[in-house]
Amino acid sequence: MSIKPKFESSIIEKKWYKYWMDNKYFSSKPDKRDSYSIVIPPPNVTGVLHMGHMLNNCIQDILIRRARMMGYNACWVPGTDHASIATEAKVVSYLKGKGIEKNSITREKFLEYSWEWTKKYGGEILNQLQKIGCSCDWDRTKFTLDESMSESVIKVFVKLYNKGLIYRDQKMINWDPDAKTTVSDEEVFYEERSSNLYYISYEIENSSKNVVIATSRPETLLGDSALCINPSDSRYNNLIGKNAIVPIVNRVVPIIRDKYVDKDFGTGCLKVTPAHDINDKTLGEKHKLKFIDIFNEDGTLNSNGLHYKGVDRFEARKLIIKELKDLGLLVKKEKYSNNIAFSERTKAIIEPRLSEQWFLSMKTISKPAIKAVMKSKEISLFPKKFESTYSNWMENIHDWNISRQLWWGHQIPVYYIDNSKDNFVVAVNKEEALKLAKRKTGKMSLKIGDLKQEPDVLDTWFSSWLWPISVFDGIRNPKNKEINYYYPTMDLVTAPDILFFWVARMIISGYEFRNKYPFKNVYLTGIVRDKKGRKMSKQLGNSPEPLVLIKNFGADAVRVGLMLSSPAGNDLLFDESLCKQGKNFANKLWNAYRLIDSWKFSNEIIDENASEDAIIWYENKFNKTLIDLEEHFKKYRISDAMMTIYKLLWDDFCSILLEIIKPNYNQSISVKNFKKIKLFFENNLKILHPFMPFLSEELWQQLDKRSKDKALIISKWPKLKKYDESVIVRFDITNLIISAIRKFRKEKNLSFKIKLKLYTLSNKSEISNLEIIKKIGQIQEIHFVDKKPIVNGSSFRVKNLDFFVPLKENIDKIEEKQKLEKELSYTLSFLGSVINKLNNKNFVKNAPESIISIEKKKQKDAEIKINLIRKNLEEIS
C-alpha cells in the first residue's frame, strides 16, 4: 500500500477519530467480559482546555486504550460540572453586557439565561478533548445539572438529613464578597503579604487614661464588643473590671481577661470582634459578648458602619485610619507580614463572617474512607507519599459547609412553612414536601404556595462527590444493571490539589451509598510547570495553548511530550521542545515503515545469518520490554512506560534491527524474515497505540488491509512471554563493539566505505553475532589470534575484549595521507588565528574572562587534534 512521504498529522487525526466514532469503538455496554471503567474528573462547563487537562486526560486515554486492547469492556464516562460560582459569575457578566442586573430579575428568569449561556458557550472543552484523541464513550456524557443527576443529589440530601447528618447552624465561615457566597476551607488559599499593623488608642471609661491595641484590620473596630488581656499580664492589672470606649463609634465595651491572648503580640491587648474573626467568635461565646456584623454581602459596610455605610471595606480602612489620625488616636503603624486568605474561585480576599449555613457532619461518615486507604488498602494512592496527606486531613476533618448563596445549582430541598425559618420539612420535591408539612402541622388546608423553598444551592462538590455512582444511576436505581457492572471503577486520574475537595469525598460517598470503594487506584498527577519551574497560567503568559501545540506538532507528538515529562505525583517541567521530540519520533516511525515498504522480498534461499541473529535478539528484547511495561503500568509509572517504548522503537527497532535487516541496494529479503519484521512492527504499534493512537492506527492500516473488526484500537495486547536474558546481554556487547568500531573509524579518519580487517585476542566464544558486527561495522574479516600481530596499527578495548586494526591493511595510504595532511593544514591555520587573538593585548584587556576562557579551550583542543593527526600520519608512513 502506498504511503505519503511526509507524515501529515492533521489529516490523519480527523480521519481516524471519525473512523473510531463511526464504528462505535468507544461505546460500552454490560456484557460477559470483565469491566474496566473510569470516570473523567468533570471539568467546569465554563472551562477551556489547558495543559493540566491535557496531561490528566492523556493519561486516562492511555489507560483506557490499553485496557480495551487487553480484552476488558472499557468504559470511560465523560462529563462536565455545572460549577456554581464560576458559571454564575459568567452569566452575571453576560447579563451586565445586556444591561441587566441579576437582582432586577427573578430567579426563574436568571436560570433561563444561565441555561441559555451554558448551551451556547458551555461544554466546549469536551469537543477539545476529542482533538487529543480521548476515547470517551460520548453517548454517556453527563452534566451535573442533568435531571437524573439532580434527582440523585436531592435524594442524597434528604437521606443524609433524615439520618441526622445534615444540620443548620450559625458558624464563622469564609465569605467571598465577589461571588457573594460562602466557600469551604478547601476553596481558600493563603499568600504571605506585607501588611501594616496599626496601633490604636482606646479611652478607658470615666478616666483620662487609655490603652493601645494593635490590629491589621482597623475597619473592624466598628464591630468591636470587648478588649481582652491575658490574666497573667501584670501591665494591665489596673484595667481589671473596667470598660473601654471604641473609637469613632464611641461604644462602651468591657475589658475581659483570657489566656488566649498572646502577651508578646502587639501590645498584649486584643480588640475582640466576634462577628468577624473565628478566634474572636470563640471568645465572644465564652464571655457572652455582642456579635456586631458590619459588612454587607459584597464587602461594603452596612448600617453598623455609621457614616461609612456603603463604602468598600478596603476604602473604609483608609478613611478610618485618616479619621483616627485626625482624632489623635492612631499611635503608629509598622510593617507586618501575615497570611491573607483568598477565594480560589474569584481570587477575592476572604472575609470571615458569621452566617447561618447548612452543614454535613463528617466525623463518623469519614471513618470507612480512612480505613480503606490507611488500613485495609482497598484503595491505593499513587504515589504513596500522598497517603500521609490524606490521613492527616481525614483524621482532622471538619464538618462540610454545603450551602452556597447562589441561584445556579441544586436548590436545597428544604421547605419553610408559612415563612417560618424554624418550621420546615425536607423532601425530594414540593409535592412530597406538602404531604410532610400537612402531617407535621396537622393543617390539611396547606397549599404548595404556603411553602417557600430554601433559596441557597448546594456546594458544587456535593454533586461531584457522587460522580462515580450517579453517572451509572446508582443513587436513584441502586440495583440497576449498569451500576452493578461498572461500579466500582478501576482507576481515577486527577490532580493532588483536589485530593480533599473531590477524591476523599467520593471515597466517603462510595462507602456511604454503595458500601464499597468508588475506585481501586488513584493516580495523582503533578502540576504542569514551565522550564523555570513556574506553574503554568494565563496570567503569567507562560502556558501554551494546547490546540496551538496540536496544530504545530500533532496530537500524538504533544501526547509524547507530556508523557516524557510527567512522573507520577511530581510537578513536570514542560518544554515545547519535548513536543518537537515527539514529532521527530513520529517521523522516525513513519520513515521506518516507508523503508520496510520499499523492500523487495523473495522465496529464494538468501544468506541472512546476520538477520537471523538480529531477529532472535529483537524477539527477546521485545518480550523483556513487555514485562517491563507491565511493571510500569502496575505502578502507574506512565512516563517510564513511554520512555521504555520510545527507546525500544527508536534505538532497538529503527536504528539497530532495521539497519541489520535491510537488504543491500537492489537485493531482496527473504519472505520469512519480511513476515517477521512485519509482525514485529505490528506488535510495536500495539504497545505504542495508547500513547500515539493516530499514527499507530494509520501505520497499522497501511501494513495490511483490515476489516473494521481488525482495527488497531480493538486489537489484542501482545501476550507476555519468557525471554532469554543471555541473548540480550550478548547483543548488548555486540552493540558496544559496533559503537567502538565506529568511534575508532572517526578518531582515525577511516572512511566507512572501507571494509576493515579486525584482529582480536579474545576467544571465539566470547563474541557473538559475528555476522552482525561484520555487516554493521563494515568489517571484511575478523581474525581470532593468540597474540597481537607485529604490524603497524592501533587497538581498542570493549569491556575485557581487546581488538587490533592493522592500519596498512585497512586503508588507501595515498588517499588517507592526503586527507590527513589537508586536515592538519586547516587545523594549524585555525590554531594560528586563535594564538594571534590571545597574543593581542587589547583583546585580552577588554574581552570578558568567559570569552578568553573559550579561546584558550579552542587552543587546547586544536593542539590535541594536531598531535593526533601527526600520530596517524606517522602510523601510515
Side-chain angles (χ1 to χ4, degrees), residues 289-311:
L289 302 176
K290 287 183 180 179
F291 284 69
I292 305 166
D293 186 357
I294 66 169
F295 290 120
N296 293 313
E297 62 178 15
D298 62 353
T300 59
L301 274 67
N302 60 24
S303 57
N304 287 327
L306 304 178
H307 46 288
Y308 297 112
K309 179 183 177 181
V311 179

PDB file of all heavy atoms in Angstrom, residues 289-311:
ATOM      1  N   LEU A 289     -20.439  37.971  74.726  1.00  0.00           N
ATOM      2  CA  LEU A 289     -20.315  39.302  74.133  1.00  0.00           C
ATOM      3  C   LEU A 289     -21.340  39.493  73.018  1.00  0.00           C
ATOM      4  O   LEU A 289     -21.915  38.533  72.497  1.00  0.00           O
ATOM      5  CB  LEU A 289     -18.905  39.476  73.565  1.00  0.00           C
ATOM      6  CG  LEU A 289     -17.737  39.301  74.551  1.00  0.00           C
ATOM      7  CD1 LEU A 289     -16.409  39.401  73.800  1.00  0.00           C
ATOM      8  CD2 LEU A 289     -17.795  40.337  75.673  1.00  0.00           C
ATOM      9  N   LYS A 290     -21.510  40.747  72.614  1.00  0.00           N
ATOM     10  CA  LYS A 290     -22.400  41.067  71.490  1.00  0.00           C
ATOM     11  C   LYS A 290     -21.698  40.703  70.182  1.00  0.00           C
ATOM     12  O   LYS A 290     -20.493  40.877  70.043  1.00  0.00           O
ATOM     13  CB  LYS A 290     -22.739  42.551  71.484  1.00  0.00           C
ATOM     14  CG  LYS A 290     -23.695  42.983  72.572  1.00  0.00           C
ATOM     15  CD  LYS A 290     -24.015  44.465  72.400  1.00  0.00           C
ATOM     16  CE  LYS A 290     -24.971  44.937  73.483  1.00  0.00           C
ATOM     17  NZ  LYS A 290     -25.271  46.388  73.355  1.00  0.00           N
ATOM     18  N   PHE A 291     -22.468  40.216  69.218  1.00  0.00           N
ATOM     19  CA  PHE A 291     -21.971  39.933  67.871  1.00  0.00           C
ATOM     20  C   PHE A 291     -22.487  41.031  66.941  1.00  0.00           C
ATOM     21  O   PHE A 291     -23.699  41.122  66.696  1.00  0.00           O
ATOM     22  CB  PHE A 291     -22.441  38.558  67.400  1.00  0.00           C
ATOM     23  CG  PHE A 291     -21.677  37.417  68.022  1.00  0.00           C
ATOM     24  CD1 PHE A 291     -21.813  37.111  69.378  1.00  0.00           C
ATOM     25  CD2 PHE A 291     -20.807  36.662  67.266  1.00  0.00           C
ATOM     26  CE1 PHE A 291     -21.103  36.068  69.949  1.00  0.00           C
ATOM     27  CE2 PHE A 291     -20.092  35.597  67.825  1.00  0.00           C
ATOM     28  CZ  PHE A 291     -20.230  35.303  69.174  1.00  0.00           C
ATOM     29  N   ILE A 292     -21.597  41.858  66.457  1.00  0.00           N
ATOM     30  CA  ILE A 292     -21.995  43.019  65.650  1.00  0.00           C
ATOM     31  C   ILE A 292     -21.441  42.851  64.242  1.00  0.00           C
ATOM     32  O   ILE A 292     -20.227  42.958  64.008  1.00  0.00           O
ATOM     33  CB  ILE A 292     -21.471  44.328  66.280  1.00  0.00           C
ATOM     34  CG1 ILE A 292     -21.956  44.436  67.736  1.00  0.00           C
ATOM     35  CG2 ILE A 292     -21.925  45.533  65.466  1.00  0.00           C
ATOM     36  CD1 ILE A 292     -21.231  45.493  68.542  1.00  0.00           C
ATOM     37  N   ASP A 293     -22.301  42.563  63.283  1.00  0.00           N
ATOM     38  CA  ASP A 293     -21.899  42.366  61.878  1.00  0.00           C
ATOM     39  C   ASP A 293     -21.850  43.730  61.197  1.00  0.00           C
ATOM     40  O   ASP A 293     -22.830  44.481  61.207  1.00  0.00           O
ATOM     41  CB  ASP A 293     -22.918  41.458  61.182  1.00  0.00           C
ATOM     42  CG  ASP A 293     -22.501  41.089  59.774  1.00  0.00           C
ATOM     43  OD1 ASP A 293     -21.453  41.577  59.313  1.00  0.00           O
ATOM     44  OD2 ASP A 293     -23.228  40.308  59.124  1.00  0.00           O
ATOM     45  N   ILE A 294     -20.713  44.076  60.605  1.00  0.00           N
ATOM     46  CA  ILE A 294     -20.571  45.403  59.997  1.00  0.00           C
ATOM     47  C   ILE A 294     -20.547  45.377  58.469  1.00  0.00           C
ATOM     48  O   ILE A 294     -20.482  46.432  57.838  1.00  0.00           O
ATOM     49  CB  ILE A 294     -19.302  46.109  60.508  1.00  0.00           C
ATOM     50  CG1 ILE A 294     -18.037  45.374  60.052  1.00  0.00           C
ATOM     51  CG2 ILE A 294     -19.337  46.261  62.028  1.00  0.00           C
ATOM     52  CD1 ILE A 294     -16.753  46.146  60.299  1.00  0.00           C
ATOM     53  N   PHE A 295     -20.586  44.153  57.875  1.00  0.00           N
ATOM     54  CA  PHE A 295     -20.414  44.071  56.421  1.00  0.00           C
ATOM     55  C   PHE A 295     -21.674  43.615  55.702  1.00  0.00           C
ATOM     56  O   PHE A 295     -22.443  42.785  56.209  1.00  0.00           O
ATOM     57  CB  PHE A 295     -19.292  43.095  56.070  1.00  0.00           C
ATOM     58  CG  PHE A 295     -17.919  43.584  56.428  1.00  0.00           C
ATOM     59  CD1 PHE A 295     -17.124  42.874  57.310  1.00  0.00           C
ATOM     60  CD2 PHE A 295     -17.418  44.767  55.889  1.00  0.00           C
ATOM     61  CE1 PHE A 295     -15.865  43.314  57.652  1.00  0.00           C
ATOM     62  CE2 PHE A 295     -16.157  45.219  56.226  1.00  0.00           C
ATOM     63  CZ  PHE A 295     -15.375  44.493  57.107  1.00  0.00           C
ATOM     64  N   ASN A 296     -21.850  44.161  54.491  1.00  0.00           N
ATOM     65  CA  ASN A 296     -22.844  43.625  53.560  1.00  0.00           C
ATOM     66  C   ASN A 296     -22.227  42.452  52.817  1.00  0.00           C
ATOM     67  O   ASN A 296     -21.008  42.218  52.898  1.00  0.00           O
ATOM     68  CB  ASN A 296     -23.272  44.702  52.552  1.00  0.00           C
ATOM     69  CG  ASN A 296     -24.036  45.835  53.210  1.00  0.00           C
ATOM     70  OD1 ASN A 296     -24.950  45.583  54.006  1.00  0.00           O
ATOM     71  ND2 ASN A 296     -23.669  47.079  52.896  1.00  0.00           N
ATOM     72  N   GLU A 297     -23.034  41.748  52.019  1.00  0.00           N
ATOM     73  CA  GLU A 297     -22.529  40.556  51.332  1.00  0.00           C
ATOM     74  C   GLU A 297     -21.484  40.866  50.268  1.00  0.00           C
ATOM     75  O   GLU A 297     -20.698  40.010  49.890  1.00  0.00           O
ATOM     76  CB  GLU A 297     -23.687  39.772  50.709  1.00  0.00           C
ATOM     77  CG  GLU A 297     -24.449  40.537  49.650  1.00  0.00           C
ATOM     78  CD  GLU A 297     -25.561  39.721  49.001  1.00  0.00           C
ATOM     79  OE1 GLU A 297     -25.936  38.674  49.557  1.00  0.00           O
ATOM     80  OE2 GLU A 297     -26.034  40.132  47.927  1.00  0.00           O
ATOM     81  N   ASP A 298     -21.460  42.137  49.792  1.00  0.00           N
ATOM     82  CA  ASP A 298     -20.475  42.486  48.755  1.00  0.00           C
ATOM     83  C   ASP A 298     -19.203  43.107  49.320  1.00  0.00           C
ATOM     84  O   ASP A 298     -18.357  43.607  48.585  1.00  0.00           O
ATOM     85  CB  ASP A 298     -21.103  43.435  47.732  1.00  0.00           C
ATOM     86  CG  ASP A 298     -21.550  44.751  48.349  1.00  0.00           C
ATOM     87  OD1 ASP A 298     -21.493  44.884  49.596  1.00  0.00           O
ATOM     88  OD2 ASP A 298     -21.977  45.658  47.593  1.00  0.00           O
ATOM     89  N   GLY A 299     -19.062  43.079  50.663  1.00  0.00           N
ATOM     90  CA  GLY A 299     -17.848  43.605  51.281  1.00  0.00           C
ATOM     91  C   GLY A 299     -17.914  45.089  51.586  1.00  0.00           C
ATOM     92  O   GLY A 299     -16.924  45.667  52.053  1.00  0.00           O
ATOM     93  N   THR A 300     -19.049  45.713  51.347  1.00  0.00           N
ATOM     94  CA  THR A 300     -19.229  47.108  51.770  1.00  0.00           C
ATOM     95  C   THR A 300     -19.762  47.119  53.198  1.00  0.00           C
ATOM     96  O   THR A 300     -20.251  46.101  53.701  1.00  0.00           O
ATOM     97  CB  THR A 300     -20.206  47.849  50.846  1.00  0.00           C
ATOM     98  OG1 THR A 300     -21.480  47.156  50.860  1.00  0.00           O
ATOM     99  CG2 THR A 300     -19.688  47.910  49.424  1.00  0.00           C
ATOM    100  N   LEU A 301     -19.653  48.275  53.857  1.00  0.00           N
ATOM    101  CA  LEU A 301     -20.112  48.364  55.241  1.00  0.00           C
ATOM    102  C   LEU A 301     -21.618  48.588  55.297  1.00  0.00           C
ATOM    103  O   LEU A 301     -22.187  49.325  54.461  1.00  0.00           O
ATOM    104  CB  LEU A 301     -19.378  49.483  55.988  1.00  0.00           C
ATOM    105  CG  LEU A 301     -18.033  49.047  56.613  1.00  0.00           C
ATOM    106  CD1 LEU A 301     -17.010  48.701  55.538  1.00  0.00           C
ATOM    107  CD2 LEU A 301     -17.492  50.122  57.539  1.00  0.00           C
ATOM    108  N   ASN A 302     -22.265  47.947  56.271  1.00  0.00           N
ATOM    109  CA  ASN A 302     -23.709  48.111  56.447  1.00  0.00           C
ATOM    110  C   ASN A 302     -23.990  49.271  57.414  1.00  0.00           C
ATOM    111  O   ASN A 302     -23.089  50.053  57.743  1.00  0.00           O
ATOM    112  CB  ASN A 302     -24.350  46.807  56.916  1.00  0.00           C
ATOM    113  CG  ASN A 302     -23.783  46.317  58.240  1.00  0.00           C
ATOM    114  OD1 ASN A 302     -23.259  47.101  59.035  1.00  0.00           O
ATOM    115  ND2 ASN A 302     -23.882  45.013  58.482  1.00  0.00           N
ATOM    116  N   SER A 303     -25.197  49.341  57.914  1.00  0.00           N
ATOM    117  CA  SER A 303     -25.586  50.469  58.779  1.00  0.00           C
ATOM    118  C   SER A 303     -24.790  50.517  60.073  1.00  0.00           C
ATOM    119  O   SER A 303     -24.662  51.593  60.690  1.00  0.00           O
ATOM    120  CB  SER A 303     -27.087  50.402  59.089  1.00  0.00           C
ATOM    121  OG  SER A 303     -27.410  49.150  59.697  1.00  0.00           O
ATOM    122  N   ASN A 304     -24.223  49.369  60.509  1.00  0.00           N
ATOM    123  CA  ASN A 304     -23.379  49.390  61.704  1.00  0.00           C
ATOM    124  C   ASN A 304     -22.056  50.119  61.448  1.00  0.00           C
ATOM    125  O   ASN A 304     -21.293  50.379  62.378  1.00  0.00           O
ATOM    126  CB  ASN A 304     -23.087  47.959  62.179  1.00  0.00           C
ATOM    127  CG  ASN A 304     -24.309  47.323  62.821  1.00  0.00           C
ATOM    128  OD1 ASN A 304     -25.105  48.009  63.456  1.00  0.00           O
ATOM    129  ND2 ASN A 304     -24.465  46.015  62.644  1.00  0.00           N
ATOM    130  N   GLY A 305     -21.823  50.408  60.177  1.00  0.00           N
ATOM    131  CA  GLY A 305     -20.615  51.150  59.819  1.00  0.00           C
ATOM    132  C   GLY A 305     -20.786  52.648  59.889  1.00  0.00           C
ATOM    133  O   GLY A 305     -19.891  53.389  59.466  1.00  0.00           O
ATOM    134  N   LEU A 306     -21.935  53.089  60.401  1.00  0.00           N
ATOM    135  CA  LEU A 306     -22.223  54.517  60.605  1.00  0.00           C
ATOM    136  C   LEU A 306     -22.066  55.309  59.314  1.00  0.00           C
ATOM    137  O   LEU A 306     -22.669  54.971  58.301  1.00  0.00           O
ATOM    138  CB  LEU A 306     -21.327  55.069  61.719  1.00  0.00           C
ATOM    139  CG  LEU A 306     -21.409  54.346  63.084  1.00  0.00           C
ATOM    140  CD1 LEU A 306     -20.447  54.956  64.066  1.00  0.00           C
ATOM    141  CD2 LEU A 306     -22.827  54.355  63.617  1.00  0.00           C
ATOM    142  N   HIS A 307     -21.232  56.341  59.343  1.00  0.00           N
ATOM    143  CA  HIS A 307     -21.073  57.212  58.168  1.00  0.00           C
ATOM    144  C   HIS A 307     -20.250  56.562  57.056  1.00  0.00           C
ATOM    145  O   HIS A 307     -20.026  57.174  56.016  1.00  0.00           O
ATOM    146  CB  HIS A 307     -20.456  58.562  58.560  1.00  0.00           C
ATOM    147  CG  HIS A 307     -19.276  58.461  59.479  1.00  0.00           C
ATOM    148  ND1 HIS A 307     -19.395  58.109  60.809  1.00  0.00           N
ATOM    149  CD2 HIS A 307     -17.944  58.680  59.270  1.00  0.00           C
ATOM    150  CE1 HIS A 307     -18.192  58.106  61.380  1.00  0.00           C
ATOM    151  NE2 HIS A 307     -17.290  58.451  60.460  1.00  0.00           N
ATOM    152  N   TYR A 308     -19.810  55.341  57.297  1.00  0.00           N
ATOM    153  CA  TYR A 308     -19.104  54.600  56.240  1.00  0.00           C
ATOM    154  C   TYR A 308     -20.023  53.593  55.541  1.00  0.00           C
ATOM    155  O   TYR A 308     -19.553  52.751  54.769  1.00  0.00           O
ATOM    156  CB  TYR A 308     -17.882  53.883  56.809  1.00  0.00           C
ATOM    157  CG  TYR A 308     -16.846  54.836  57.356  1.00  0.00           C
ATOM    158  CD1 TYR A 308     -16.582  54.905  58.717  1.00  0.00           C
ATOM    159  CD2 TYR A 308     -16.158  55.693  56.503  1.00  0.00           C
ATOM    160  CE1 TYR A 308     -15.649  55.791  59.230  1.00  0.00           C
ATOM    161  CE2 TYR A 308     -15.215  56.583  56.993  1.00  0.00           C
ATOM    162  CZ  TYR A 308     -14.969  56.628  58.356  1.00  0.00           C
ATOM    163  OH  TYR A 308     -14.036  57.514  58.842  1.00  0.00           O
ATOM    164  N   LYS A 309     -21.292  53.686  55.821  1.00  0.00           N
ATOM    165  CA  LYS A 309     -22.260  52.775  55.200  1.00  0.00           C
ATOM    166  C   LYS A 309     -22.145  52.850  53.674  1.00  0.00           C
ATOM    167  O   LYS A 309     -22.121  53.933  53.084  1.00  0.00           O
ATOM    168  CB  LYS A 309     -23.673  53.132  55.647  1.00  0.00           C
ATOM    169  CG  LYS A 309     -24.746  52.243  55.032  1.00  0.00           C
ATOM    170  CD  LYS A 309     -26.139  52.689  55.464  1.00  0.00           C
ATOM    171  CE  LYS A 309     -27.215  51.831  54.782  1.00  0.00           C
ATOM    172  NZ  LYS A 309     -28.576  52.269  55.165  1.00  0.00           N
ATOM    173  N   GLY A 310     -22.052  51.655  53.032  1.00  0.00           N
ATOM    174  CA  GLY A 310     -21.964  51.580  51.573  1.00  0.00           C
ATOM    175  C   GLY A 310     -20.561  51.690  51.017  1.00  0.00           C
ATOM    176  O   GLY A 310     -20.338  51.520  49.822  1.00  0.00           O
ATOM    177  N   VAL A 311     -19.575  51.967  51.898  1.00  0.00           N
ATOM    178  CA  VAL A 311     -18.186  52.102  51.454  1.00  0.00           C
ATOM    179  C   VAL A 311     -17.516  50.726  51.453  1.00  0.00           C
ATOM    180  O   VAL A 311     -17.699  49.935  52.380  1.00  0.00           O
ATOM    181  CB  VAL A 311     -17.408  53.067  52.379  1.00  0.00           C
ATOM    182  CG1 VAL A 311     -15.941  53.180  51.935  1.00  0.00           C
ATOM    183  CG2 VAL A 311     -18.070  54.436  52.401  1.00  0.00           C
TER     184      VAL A 311
END
